Amino acid sequence: MPNILSIAQSGLAAAQAGLATTSHNISNQGVAGYNRQQVIQSASPGQNYGFGYIGNGTNVDTIKRVYNSFLATQTSGAQSAKSQYDTYYSQINKINNMLADSTSGLAPSIQNFFTAIQNLVSDPSGAASRQSVLSAGQTLAARFQGMDTQLRAMQDDVNQQIQGSVTNINSYAQQIAQLNLAIAKAQSTGQPPNDLLDQRDQLVSQLSQESKVTVIEQDGNYNVFIGNGQPLVVASTANQLVTMASPTDIGRLEVGYQNANGTLVMLPESSLTGGNLGGLFNFRSETLDTAQNSLGRIAIAMADTFNAQHKLGIDLNGNAGGDFFSVGAPLVTSDTANTGSAVVDASITDVNALTASNYRLSYDGTNYTVTRLSDNKSVYSNTTFPAAPIDGVQFTQTSGTMAAGDEFLIRPTINGASDLNALISNSNLIAAATPIRTGAPTTNTGTGSISAGSIDASYTSATVATPVTLTYDAAAGTFSGFPATLPVTVTVNGATTTYAAGAPVPYTTGATIAFGGVQLQISGAPHDGDTFTVSANTNAGGDNRNILALGALQTAHTMLNGTADYNGAYGQIVSSIGNKTREMQVNSDAQNKLLTSLQAAQQSESGVNLDEEATNLIRYQQAYQASGKVMQVVSELFDTLLSIR
């Protein structure tokens, strides 16, 4: 008899455990990271009564959580990738919306400026037309500055988000380390602390949203590595990440790794992949930096080429034109760890060759190396400091000496947009005219004609301080009368010939004749003794030749090694950002579908199904009632025995 009571008691205890576990599952059905639990029972060994073994009831061996480590790892990886794509997409979409805006983007401002230039062509001395050019120039500069301000605000926002992500990572790491300790103590009883295990796995899942996570289980502990293998949690020890200013750019936050010994090492951005942190780093290095540099490159190219042409003209006062726009200079910063005394500077020599990249100049004690950071390609390596320009940028060591290990960051175009300003405020100072005039007297008897003439940067007023009169000698087929101190070049079908100063020059119709920075063409059939003159322009009011040349810059291929004009270069930025935005959106959507699929698979195995739990509830209830009935029967049997006299 006693064994029947014991058997009933074991069944009752098992049913109680089942009811409690089922109730626990139902209560936590909506808790993130919860894995359903099961009661694992086994039959107690039977006792031999000679005629056979009679069982001794049931044992509750353990409460097991239904957990698939493979699916959990897959889900964590998908979550990390999705967070990276989501973060990248949310950030780049802001730039895409700003650049592609048809009303407030840069393209309308460029168009409006050159429309004002074209209006001035038809009325070069008109006060209203001149003022319109100044206003459009100021508006264009303000638009460049406004867009740059927005991009710099995004840089600050990325810094803040990096700080927030690092704070979250450190918090999760500390909690995981504490749970490792608590779980180790709990497991010393021989039974798994399921709810603590769920909490730890949920923290790992949350951590994977911040950075790529690799988990190695050892002796019941989770050793957690982030990014490309930095140990974040080892047993009950949590290492820390810290934010720190870049050694070459104090306004740029990087992430450092601080181990248990307190040693701090700055981690390369490429080593922290996945999650929000990886998305922020990728966005900043691949898109934000490039967008800001590209915008600055357009501003510098426009200002430089426009200024160069403007200086070739004269204003309404008869003076040579000055700079119309200010031009941003390259920014050079030294590494805070440099031990040498060298001071390095940089200047732009060719806007057509500029890239949108930053550069690192380093010295190892023997070689100077220049690395283009956009593609991490070494573009110069030698024992001497780079003397020739690299990608349109001239590097200069102005003073001091470099020590081994010294580095400098050169950002050629970073300040291009922010430093662009319209410098002219007096409309009379717009140099719409060209400083020379050409002419032919009505006494000429031939059909020869002379072009309006133009100048280049080598021109000085001394060239035509005394009017130059060119006279045709029909017998010799030459022109004479060129300045006695200036050689003359003649270009015919791309072939150039130079003639000594003062020497007669053979005539070829339509050839380009150049001397002292003046270029002109004489065409037709001049007669013997016909003359043509080149003199200073003393009436700039009605002359629109230089403003025509300024207007032609709108479609001139002055950027990207002669392959694009200003709008074309801007269009490439818009297209590149747009394509990248679409790529991130597609990747985010695809990763979201993968994550949803993995989560569904995980839930189908580990999640709480209320219908199933309701069935279990009835099953355990019936088992409890049945075990109780057995005990009732046993009690009645004992009563019967005791009643026998």
Side-chain angles (χ1 to χ4, degrees):
M1 283 303 176
N3 65 325
I4 299 177
L5 182 61
S6 176
I7 291 171
Q9 286 177 331
S10 70
L12 197 66
Q16 283 181 323
L19 286 169
T21 301
T22 301
S23 176
H24 188 59
N25 286 340
I26 294 172
S27 299
N28 289 280
Q29 185 268 339
V31 175
Y34 179 80
N35 294 279
R36 68 186 176 92
Q37 299 175 13
Q38 290 179 330
V39 176
I40 305 301
Q41 296 177 231
S42 63
S44 295
Q47 184 176 353
N48 189 352
Y49 283 86
F51 54 80
Y53 285 87
I54 295 179
N56 287 316
T58 185
N59 292 322
V60 176
D61 295 330
T62 188
I63 307 298
K64 174 188 174 183
R65 67 175 185 146
V66 181
Y67 177 74
N68 188 317
S69 60
F70 175 76
L71 280 177
T73 300
Q74 293 291 99
T75 303
S76 177
Q79 178 66 71
S80 181
K82 179 181 182 298
S83 295
Q84 178 176 352
Y85 289 132
D86 285 351
T87 298
Y88 200 139
Y89 173 69
S90 67
Q91 295 296 321
I92 195 174
N93 198 42
K94 299 175 186 176
I95 298 182
N96 185 52
N97 291 337
M98 178 185 71
L99 295 180
D101 194 303
S102 60
T103 57
S104 61
L106 185 62
S109 296
I110 294 176
Q111 181 60 48
N112 291 341
F113 176 66
F114 280 100
T115 297
I117 293 290
Q118 298 300 334
N119 291 338
L120 186 57
V121 169
S122 59
D123 186 16
S125 60
S129 299
R130 286 176 167 266
Q131 188 58 50
S132 178
V133 169
L134 295 187
S135 297
Q138 293 166 355
T139 300
L140 177 60
R143 186 63 195 135
F144 270 108
Q145 294 171 7
M147 295 178 73
D148 182 79
T149 298
Q150 292 183 62
L151 293 174
R152 291 179 189 269
M154 290 182 192
Q155 293 278 9
D156 294 338
D157 181 59
V158 168
N159 283 342
Q160 292 177 4
Q161 291 192 54
I162 289 173
Q163 285 182 318
S165 184
V166 167
T167 299
N168 290 339
I169 289 172
N170 288 336
S171 175
Y172 295 145
Q174 190 64 41
Q175 293 178 68
I176 291 171
Q178 292 172 353
L179 281 171
N180 274 344
L181 184 61
I183 289 169
K185 290 180 179 179
Q187 285 180 330
S188 64
T189 64
Q191 293 297 336
N194 294 323
D195 294 318
L196 292 180
L197 294 173
D198 283 347
Q199 291 177 33
R200 186 174 64 179
D201 287 327
Q202 179 63 13
L203 285 170
V204 170
S205 176
Q206 291 173 322
L207 179 60
S208 70
Q209 296 179 40
E210 301 296 338
S211 181
K212 177 183 175 183
V213 174
T214 302
V215 176
I216 297 177
E217 188 171 0
Q218 183 179 21
D219 299 329
N221 291 314
Y222 274 6
N223 295 331
V224 181
F225 303 84
I226 63 170
N228 287 341
Q230 288 70 38
L232 185 66
V233 179
V234 179
S236 60
T237 301
N239 298 315
Q240 296 287 296
L241 299 182
V242 296
T243 54
M244 54 194 300
S246 168
T248 53
D249 181 5
I250 60 174
R252 184 186 187 92
L253 281 187
E254 301 288 354
V255 174
Y257 174 76
Q258 189 171 29
N259 59 26
N261 298 325
T263 304
L264 180 62
V265 179
M266 191 179 80
L267 297 174
E269 292 183 4
S270 58
S271 69
L272 293 169
T273 58
N276 293 330
L277 198 57
L280 290 169
F281 281 140
N282 286 352
F283 163 71
R284 184 170 68 179
S285 61
E286 295 175 3
T287 298
L288 184 53
D289 290 346
T290 301
Q292 192 169 11
N293 288 341
S294 296
L295 188 67
R297 177 175 59 178
I298 296 174
I300 289 172
M302 179 176 291
D304 183 83
T305 54
F306 197 88
N307 286 348
Q309 184 61 51
H310 191 257
K311 290 178 181 178
L312 298 182
I314 56 174
D315 58 28
L316 285 180
N317 301 322
N319 299 321
D323 284 337
F324 192 95
F325 293 111
S326 58
V327 183
L331 180 62
V332 180
T333 51
S334 60
D335 194 300
T336 54
N338 285 0
T339 58
S341 59
V343 176
V344 173
D345 198 3
S347 58
I348 296 173
T349 59
D350 183 5
V351 296
N352 200 3
L354 284 177
T355 71
S357 178
N358 297 329
Y359 298 81
R360 181 176 62 246
L361 170 65
S362 58
Y363 180 62
D364 62 6
T366 302
N367 289 319
Y368 295 88
T369 302
V370 177
T371 304
R372 187 168 54 217
L373 299 182
S374 60
D375 55 9
N376 204 33
K377 179 181 178 181
S378 175
V379 291
Y380 178 86
S381 183
N382 206 296
T383 56
T384 60
F385 191 88
I390 298 172
D391 293 341
V393 181
Q394 178 67 61
F395 298 81
T396 308
Q397 184 172 332
T398 58
S399 63
T401 57
M402 281 196 189
D406 283 1
E407 288 188 355
F408 294 83
L409 176 66
I410 297 92
R411 290 173 282 178
T413 63
I414 185 68
N415 290 330
S418 62
D419 288 353
L420 183 71
N421 288 287
L423 300 178
I424 295 178
S425 57
N426 185 342
S427 63
N428 288 341
L429 300 184
I430 297 176
T434 298
I436 64 167
R437 283 191 180 275
T438 61
T442 57
T443 55
N444 283 357
T445 58
T447 59
S449 62
I450 188 171
S451 66
S454 60
I455 65 170
D456 60 29
S458 65
Y459 170 83
T460 66
S461 59
T463 302
V464 292
T466 300
V468 175
T469 301
L470 306 179
T471 304
Y472 183 64
D473 183 342
T478 61
F479 273 101
S480 59
F482 293 95
T485 58
L486 298 173
V488 179
T489 61
V490 178
T491 302
V492 181
N493 297 326
T496 300
T497 305
T498 302
Y499 298 91
V505 174
Y507 170 63
T508 302
T509 183
T512 298
I513 302 170
F515 59 91
V518 174
Q519 294 89 36
L520 55 88
Q521 295 83 34
I522 299 177
S523 304
H527 286 178
D528 187 57
D530 283 357
T531 61
F532 301 91
T533 60
V534 184
S535 60
N537 185 0
T538 57
N539 182 19
D543 187 355
N544 65 0
R545 284 175 292 161
N546 197 52
I547 203 68
L548 274 170
L550 288 169
L553 290 174
Q554 181 180 11
T555 56
H557 286 185
T558 55
M559 296 187 65
L560 310 185
N561 293 312
T563 62
D565 55 25
Y566 311 136
N567 277 318
Y570 182 69
Q572 287 191 24
I573 302 175
V574 175
S575 176
S576 176
I577 297 294
N579 289 337
K580 192 68 174 180
T581 301
R582 179 58 179 164
E583 176 189 340
M584 289 299 107
Q585 184 181 28
V586 170
N587 287 339
S588 178
D589 291 343
Q591 201 64 39
N592 183 58
K593 291 179 180 178
L594 174 61
L595 177 61
T596 301
S597 174
L598 288 170
Q599 288 175 333
Q602 189 179 38
Q603 283 299 303
S604 68
E605 183 171 344
S606 302
V608 176
N609 184 309
L610 292 179
D611 291 336
E612 180 182 352
E613 297 303 324
T615 301
N616 288 337
L617 199 62
I618 295 172
R619 180 166 62 90
Y620 286 123
Q621 178 190 15
Q622 291 175 342
Y624 189 90
Q625 291 172 338
S627 295
K629 186 64 175 178
V630 171
M631 294 188 73
Q632 180 184 358
V633 169
V634 171
S635 176
E636 292 175 353
L637 289 175
F638 270 111
D639 290 342
T640 300
L641 290 174
L642 292 174
S643 65
I644 297 175
R645 292 286 189 269

